[in-house]
Structure formats: C-alpha cells, structure tokens
C-alpha cells in the first residue's frame, strides 16, 4: 500500500519523487509506460536554451540545499566552476535533460515500463491495474497524482495529410534528414518550437522555406520582470479565486507569457535571413483552412485574417508546430462520475491541486500536475512552479508541513487592496 502513486514521469512528477525522497512517512511510486526517462528529444537542438533559470529545477525553489538540485548535479559532475564562469542562468535544454536523467537514476521510486490501464476507488483506497510486459499487476494507493502531460496537437485542417509528407514539430529531429531532401518545407505555427524548426531549416540552407502563422505577428515571449510575477504562487492564488469565465478570458489573453518566441531566437532568425541568398516566405495573420495532397505537392488553403481573403500555398512537406493538448485519461474513466466538472467539462481543481470530488471520501485524494491551466493560470506549465506545487501536494498528503512554502513571492498586488 503506497501513500501516493504518481502516474506519468515527466519533470513535474519526477520533481514530486525528488521532494518525497527521504520523507519517511510518505511512501511514493511513480509509474510510467516508457522504458526510460526522456524529455523532448525531437526538439533537442544543439544550442537550444531552457527558457527559465536553473533555479526552476526539481527542488530548489522549495529546498535549495536538496541533494537533487541542479547545483548538486553540477557539483557531482565537476561542472560547478564552469557554470559559474559561464555567467548564464539558463542551462541548455540538452544539459537540463541530462540533469533530469541524473535525478531519475537516483530515485528508487520510479517504475518505468508500467502502463496504468485502470484506477478504481474502493471506498478506502485506489486499486490500479498495471500492465508490465505481458503481466498484469495490482497497485494500491491512498492518493493519486495524475501527471501524464500533454501530447502533440494537430488541427483538423492538417490532419488528413499523408504521414510521409507531414510531421509534428515534436518529431522534427527524428525526421530532419528526410525534410532536407524534400524540397519545399513549410512550418505552420509560431511558438518557440515553430521558430526553432524554421531557424534550423534556414541555417541548413534549405532551398525553399516557408513559415506561416495565424497570430498577428511573430511575437516574442513577454519575459519582462514584473510580467514574470504572473508565474508566481502569489498570482496563482489570485487567479484561482476568480470566476471561471474570467479565468478563461485571461488564459486566452496571456498566451504570450508561455507561447511566444524568445527574443534571442527571433534575432537569430533575422540574422540568418539577412545573410541568406535564397528567399524565404514568412507570413503572419494567416490560418490553414484546409490541406490536400496533390501530384505536385501539398496544397494548403490559407485565410488572410485582415482581408478575409483566401489563397493557395503549395509545398512539399509540412511541419506542424501547432502545440500540445492534455492527454486523454482512459485509466480514470471509472472515476469520472465522482469528479466534479466545470461548464467546459474540465475537472474542477482546488487551490492545493486536488480534484474536487462529489464523494467526500474521495476529496483530497486525487491531485493533478500540469493539467490545471484553466484553474491555476499561466504558471501551470512553467517549470518554475513545479517544486512549489509538489511541496503543496506532499504537505496535503502527509497532513503536515513537510516543506515550508513561501509566504510572499511577488512585489505586485493582483487583487483589490484589502480583499481576503
């Protein structure tokens, strides 16, 4: 009988395991269907930088002296002085994955190759049916943390394209060589992933590169200091207390806080365009209406937002940098009726990241990681909130203050002064 089973071993549940390591009265297991831990391998460009500070590791913003901090990783690998001399707070994405794998190797609570097929609440605890190879096993736990992450999203307008000419940006590096031999390549979408794919194609001197986006501009991430305070626990407190329609409106308006492009990447793209002899096609404010495969290539029908007119765009391959969506949860099907849903059909999630349940015995038993954008705001997918969220979950499960949470995290006051 475990105190908590976390389903999915992404960075957030990996961080939960790290903080639980050494907490004697919380017995935890993390189950993941993959054979080993990996992180965004299809976008692991050589020079890609993490978009947050090294302090947004698994533990430091709660317990800086933890043995699984990023600084401990550097010390263990004899790279601490090199990192100090480098004078950059942002690690490379490749180095951050190496850090995550270093942490995973030290955690006995991780169970890879364990696919959760079903979770049932029997009135006192959860019973999980888990597939491990050809064997079915039963795991029992008093609490669950659902952290299966997101999956690549492909809009309906692109969904029918032949797979040999189409890929999601999540698989870009796995298919890069084929793309470079294709001829005309079009990247659709202008988040960081789309920008990095477009930049790589331009640097490779691909003969015909197009970069199309429905956003009004190739917009940079808004990473100014006071705006970043909207990824702090102080803003999460404020956001969670708002009415559901207001929260939904704010999430749509605040997309540049987590879906924009780093200024450095935009500068690099402009430098390459300036030095490039071959023309490139960049268009913003255009959306894909439909796409079909023809003998001479792929034909995309585009809608120009400002004029309302449509036009045809022909290419040989499409890279869809169209983002991600929450993974479906078939293993939670038997529990759905006992969980409260909002007007949009999403789980109602309490401030401590527990799911609001109709059954009182189930209250405070199910927690979520990185599926709470609608309830906790733009901080939800940010690596910098992971340690705080996990510390709060552990405190709730243990029924005591395992980790002290910060009382003040922003200079900005978000609520009406004097409001509770």
């Amino acid at each position: 009988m475990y105190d908590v089973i976390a389903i999915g071993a992404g960075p957030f549940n990996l961080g939960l395991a790290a903080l639980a390591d050494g907490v004697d009265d919380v017995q935890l297991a993390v189950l993941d269907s993959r054979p080993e831990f990996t992180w965004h391998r299809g976008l692991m460009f050589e020079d890609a930088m993490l978009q947050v500070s090294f302090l947004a590791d698994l533990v430091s913003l709660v317990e800086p002296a933890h043995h699984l901090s990023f600084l401990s990783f550097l010390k263990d690998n004899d790279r601490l002085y090199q990192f100090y001399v480098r004078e950059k707070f942002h690690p490379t994405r490749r180095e951050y994955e190496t850090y995550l794998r270093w942490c995973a190797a030290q955690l006995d609570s991780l169970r890879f190759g364990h696919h959760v097929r079903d979770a049932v609440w029997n009135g006192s605890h959860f019973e999980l049916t888990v597939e491990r190879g050809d064997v079915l096993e039963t795991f029992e736990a008093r609490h669950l943390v659902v952290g299966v992450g997101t999956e690549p999203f492909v809009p309906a307008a692109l969904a029918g394209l032949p797979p040999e000419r189409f890929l999601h940006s999540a698989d870009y590096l796995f298919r890069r060589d084929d793309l470079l031999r294709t001829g005309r390549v079009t990247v659709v979408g202008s988040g960081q992933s789309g920008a990095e794919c477009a930049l790589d194609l331009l640097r490779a001197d691909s003969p015909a590169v197009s970069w199309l986006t429905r956003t009004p501009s190739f917009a940079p991430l808004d990473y100014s200091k006071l705006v970043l305070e909207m990824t702090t626990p102080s803003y999460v407190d404020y956001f969670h207390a708002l009415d559901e329609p207001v929260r939904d409106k704010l999430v749509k308006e605040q997309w540049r806080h987590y879906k924009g492009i780093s200024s450095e990447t935009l500068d690099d793209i402009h430098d390459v365009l300036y030095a490039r002899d071959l023309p490139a096609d960049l268009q913003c404010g255009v959306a894909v209406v439909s796409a079909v495969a023809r003998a001479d290539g792929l034909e995309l029908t585009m809608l120009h937002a400002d004029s309302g007119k449509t036009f045809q765009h022909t290419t040989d391959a499409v890279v869809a940098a169209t983002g991600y969506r929450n993974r479906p949860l078939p293993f939670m099907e038997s529990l759905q009726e006992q969980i409260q849903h909002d007007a949009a059909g999403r789980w109602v999630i309490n401030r401590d990241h527990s799911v609001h349940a109709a059954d009182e015995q189930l209250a405070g038993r199910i927690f979520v990681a990185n599926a709470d954008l609608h309830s906790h705001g733009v901080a939800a997918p940010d690596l910098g909130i992971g340690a705080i969220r996990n510390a709060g979950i552990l405190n709730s499960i243990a029924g005591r203050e395992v980790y002290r949470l910060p009382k003040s995290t922003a200079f900005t006051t978000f609520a009406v002064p004097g409001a509770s």
Side-chain angles (χ1 to χ4, degrees), residues 22-54:
V23 180
D24 293 336
D25 58 341
V26 176
Q27 300 303 311
L28 173 143
V30 180
L31 309 181
D32 194 287
S33 59
R34 297 173 299 170
E36 63 175 344
F37 180 88
T38 59
W39 188 62
H40 294 304
R41 287 285 175 85
L43 285 167
M44 199 63 69
F45 296 100
E46 194 69 37
D47 58 348
M49 303 293 292
L50 202 67
Q51 291 179 306
V52 291
S53 160
F54 74 92

Side-chain angles (χ1 to χ4, degrees), residues 34 36-46 93-94 97 101 152 163-164 166-182 196-197 200-201 318-319 324 327:
R34 297 173 299 170
E36 63 175 344
F37 180 88
T38 59
W39 188 62
H40 294 304
R41 287 285 175 85
L43 285 167
M44 199 63 69
F45 296 100
E46 194 69 37
R93 198 179 296 157
R94 190 180 298 273
E97 193 215 22
R101 288 172 61 84
E164 65 272 14
F166 174 80
L167 65 143
H168 191 275
S169 57
D171 296 322
Y172 177 83
L173 288 178
F174 303 135
R175 304 270 303 274
R176 181 179 184 270
D177 291 343
D178 293 336
L179 281 175
L180 295 180
R181 290 191 292 266
T182 296
E196 290 178 357
C197 293
D200 184 69
L201 290 166
V318 169
V319 179
Y324 298 79
R327 293 184 187 277

Side-chain angles (χ1 to χ4, degrees), residues 69-265:
S69 71
F70 185 77
L71 291 181
S72 296
F73 157 74
L74 291 175
K75 181 177 182 295
D76 190 57
N77 288 274
D78 201 21
R79 287 172 60 86
L80 191 56
Y81 237 88
Q82 291 90 329
F83 187 78
Y84 160 67
V85 172
R86 179 173 175 261
E87 292 190 332
K88 291 181 181 179
F89 269 19
H90 292 199
T92 65
R93 198 179 296 157
R94 190 180 298 273
E95 183 176 32
Y96 194 76
E97 193 215 22
T98 303
Y99 157 69
L100 295 176
R101 288 172 61 84
W102 173 83
C103 291
Q106 300 183 65
L107 292 167
D108 295 333
S109 56
L110 304 184
R111 306 281 188 272
F112 290 101
H114 286 60
H115 174 66
V116 179
R117 291 180 54 174
D118 189 35
V120 176
W121 172 252
N122 67 9
S124 62
H125 62 271
F126 297 98
E127 294 180 358
L128 277 64
T129 303
V130 179
E131 182 180 336
R132 186 162 66 96
D134 296 330
V135 178
L136 288 182
E137 299 180 352
T138 299
F139 283 70
E140 297 179 332
R142 298 182 180 90
H143 303 84
L144 294 181
V145 179
V146 180
V148 297
T150 57
E151 63 181 6
F153 170 70
V154 176
L158 294 171
L161 292 178
E164 65 272 14
R165 298 190 187 185
F166 174 80
L167 65 143
H168 191 275
S169 57
D171 296 322
Y172 177 83
L173 288 178
F174 303 135
R175 304 270 303 274
R176 181 179 184 270
D177 291 343
D178 293 336
L179 281 175
L180 295 180
R181 290 191 292 266
T182 296
R184 301 165 295 179
V185 181
T186 296
V187 178
V188 177
S190 64
Q192 183 67 22
S193 298
E196 290 178 357
C197 293
L199 176 59
D200 184 69
L201 290 166
L202 292 167
R203 282 176 169 168
D205 219 20
S206 201
V209 179
S210 297
W211 187 20
L212 314 177
T213 178
R214 65 179 180 177
T215 58
S217 64
F218 295 100
L221 277 170
D222 194 341
Y223 256 42
S224 52
K225 297 296 187 292
L226 293 180
V227 167
L228 275 179
E229 292 201 336
M230 299 174 79
T231 63
T232 63
S234 294
Y235 185 74
V236 174
D237 289 339
Y238 165 73
F239 184 92
H240 188 269
L242 297 172
D243 292 335
E244 180 186 328
V246 179
R247 294 200 303 255
D248 288 345
K249 175 177 175 290
L250 287 174
V251 167
K252 290 179 181 178
E253 292 175 351
Q254 294 170 353
W255 63 272
R256 279 187 59 192
H257 303 339
Y258 62 102
K259 286 186 177 180
I261 308 165
S262 75
S263 297
E264 293 79 8
T265 303

Side-chain angles (χ1 to χ4, degrees), residues 198-367:
L199 176 59
D200 184 69
L201 290 166
L202 292 167
R203 282 176 169 168
D205 219 20
S206 201
V209 179
S210 297
W211 187 20
L212 314 177
T213 178
R214 65 179 180 177
T215 58
S217 64
F218 295 100
L221 277 170
D222 194 341
Y223 256 42
S224 52
K225 297 296 187 292
L226 293 180
V227 167
L228 275 179
E229 292 201 336
M230 299 174 79
T231 63
T232 63
S234 294
Y235 185 74
V236 174
D237 289 339
Y238 165 73
F239 184 92
H240 188 269
L242 297 172
D243 292 335
E244 180 186 328
V246 179
R247 294 200 303 255
D248 288 345
K249 175 177 175 290
L250 287 174
V251 167
K252 290 179 181 178
E253 292 175 351
Q254 294 170 353
W255 63 272
R256 279 187 59 192
H257 303 339
Y258 62 102
K259 286 186 177 180
I261 308 165
S262 75
S263 297
E264 293 79 8
T265 303
L266 287 171
D267 289 346
D268 289 343
I269 289 173
H270 194 273
D271 287 345
V272 173
L273 289 169
Y274 186 78
R276 179 181 164 95
D277 294 327
L278 298 169
D281 175 28
L282 277 66
Q283 295 185 61
C284 53
V286 295
V288 182
V289 176
S290 63
V292 294
R294 302 199 184 283
D296 60 344
L298 306 177
E299 184 179 271
L300 278 56
T301 300
M302 310 297 301
L303 173 65
H304 187 262
D306 291 341
S307 67
K309 296 180 179 180
T310 59
F311 63 95
Q312 306 307 122
H313 174 83
T314 303
T315 186
D316 294 310
V318 169
V319 179
T322 47
Y324 298 79
R325 63 180 173 187
N326 291 332
R327 293 184 187 277
L329 305 172
F331 57 89
M332 296 292 290
E333 194 61 39
S334 65
L335 296 167
Q336 289 289 358
E337 290 187 2
Q338 299 166 270
I339 295 173
Q340 185 173 340
H341 295 73
D342 65 16
R346 302 164 299 199
W347 286 358
V348 174
I349 302 173
N350 301 317
R351 176 60 187 90
D352 68 349
H353 304 282
S354 65
V355 175
H356 196 83
D359 184 345
E360 288 187 7
Q361 290 183 317
L362 199 57
R365 299 283 186 171
I366 303 173
F367 297 82

Side-chain angles (χ1 to χ4, degrees), residues 390-406:
N390 286 330
I393 290 174
L394 285 174
N395 289 351
S396 296
I397 290 171
R400 64 182 179 87
E401 190 180 63
V402 180
Y403 290 101
R404 184 176 67 85
L405 299 178

